């Protein structure tokens, strides 16, 4: 098991604990799809190339805003499983500071048990989505820091 540099943020930790209580991979997918359903509608005018996650087989979009030092994400995908992964990350990372997001590693996906049942392209997509969210958090941080 890889070392975890930081304890996981509470929301992400709760999500992972819930996944760990589910033993069947089919039920894990159902729980993942639950996150897809809970994602708020993504603004159509934000479905532009700059917001598209590269390296994903499906169309995935992520945007971030920062308010009072906390990052809020929005995301969408045209594929339900991928949309579930986006939803999981949005719920797990929302409200954290850019620094907290930058300190995370994507290895927590292994703790959900999803990594074993995700296809290689979906697993790769997950990492690409996570990296895009980290980049967005960093941009938010830099914008907030240097625009004052």
């Amino acid at each position: 098991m890889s070392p975890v540099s930081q304890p996981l943020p509470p929301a992400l930790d709760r999500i992972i604990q819930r996944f760990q209580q589910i033993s069947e991979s089919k039920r894990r997918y159902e729980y993942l799809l639950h996150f897809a359903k809970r994602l708020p509608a993504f603004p159509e005018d934000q479905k532009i190339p700059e917001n598209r996650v590269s390296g994903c087989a499906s169309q995935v979009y992520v945007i971030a805003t920062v308010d009072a030092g906390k990052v809020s994400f929005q995301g969408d995908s045209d594929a339900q499983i991928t949309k579930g992964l986006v939803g999981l990350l949005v719920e797990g990372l929302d409200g954290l500071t850019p620094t907290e997001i930058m300190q995370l590693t994507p290895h927590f996906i292994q703790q959900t048990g999803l990594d074993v049942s995700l296809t290689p392209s979906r697993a790769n997509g997950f990492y690409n989505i996570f990296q895009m969210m980290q980049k967005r958090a960093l941009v938010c941080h830099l914008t907030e820091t240097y625009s004052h």
Side-chain angles (χ1 to χ4, degrees):
M1 193 161 140
S2 58
V4 178
S5 55
Q6 297 279 352
L8 288 171
L12 195 55
D13 195 45
R14 275 193 305 276
I15 292 168
I16 288 167
Q17 286 180 14
R18 179 76 183 96
F19 270 108
Q20 288 174 338
Q21 293 166 355
I22 304 169
S23 54
E24 305 162 51
S25 59
K26 181 180 182 288
R27 302 237 326 117
R28 272 194 211 113
Y29 272 118
E30 287 168 5
Y31 185 51
L32 186 62
L33 291 173
H34 164 79
F35 288 101
K37 290 185 189 101
R38 286 175 26 160
L39 263 181
F42 191 83
E44 284 299 318
D45 63 341
Q46 292 297 317
K47 291 187 178 180
I48 54 175
E50 301 88 87
N51 295 332
R52 189 163 186 264
V53 178
S54 60
C56 284
S58 47
Q59 301 275 322
V60 183
Y61 297 93
V62 171
I63 56 174
T65 53
V66 70
D67 184 37
K70 305 282 187 192
V71 181
S72 291
F73 291 102
Q74 280 183 283
D76 195 17
S77 174
D78 59 354
Q80 285 303 301
I81 296 288
T82 311
K83 190 171 183 171
L85 291 170
V86 171
L88 182 158
L89 285 168
V90 166
E91 284 193 35
L93 303 181
D94 230 34
L96 297 177
T97 66
T99 306
E100 289 170 320
I101 294 165
M102 297 310 297
Q103 289 171 342
L104 278 174
T105 64
H107 300 300
F108 62 81
I109 191 69
Q110 294 160 354
Q111 295 171 265
T112 64
L114 284 168
D115 61 315
V116 292
S117 52
L118 288 176
T119 62
S121 70
R122 282 194 186 128
N124 191 38
F126 170 81
Y127 291 112
N128 290 333
I129 295 162
F130 180 77
Q131 286 176 324
M132 172 89 158
M133 291 174 90
Q134 281 191 315
K135 283 181 197 149
R136 291 295 159 129
L138 181 60
V139 168
C140 282
H141 174 65
L142 293 173
T143 305
E144 190 178 55
T145 303
Y146 296 106
S147 64
H148 294 294

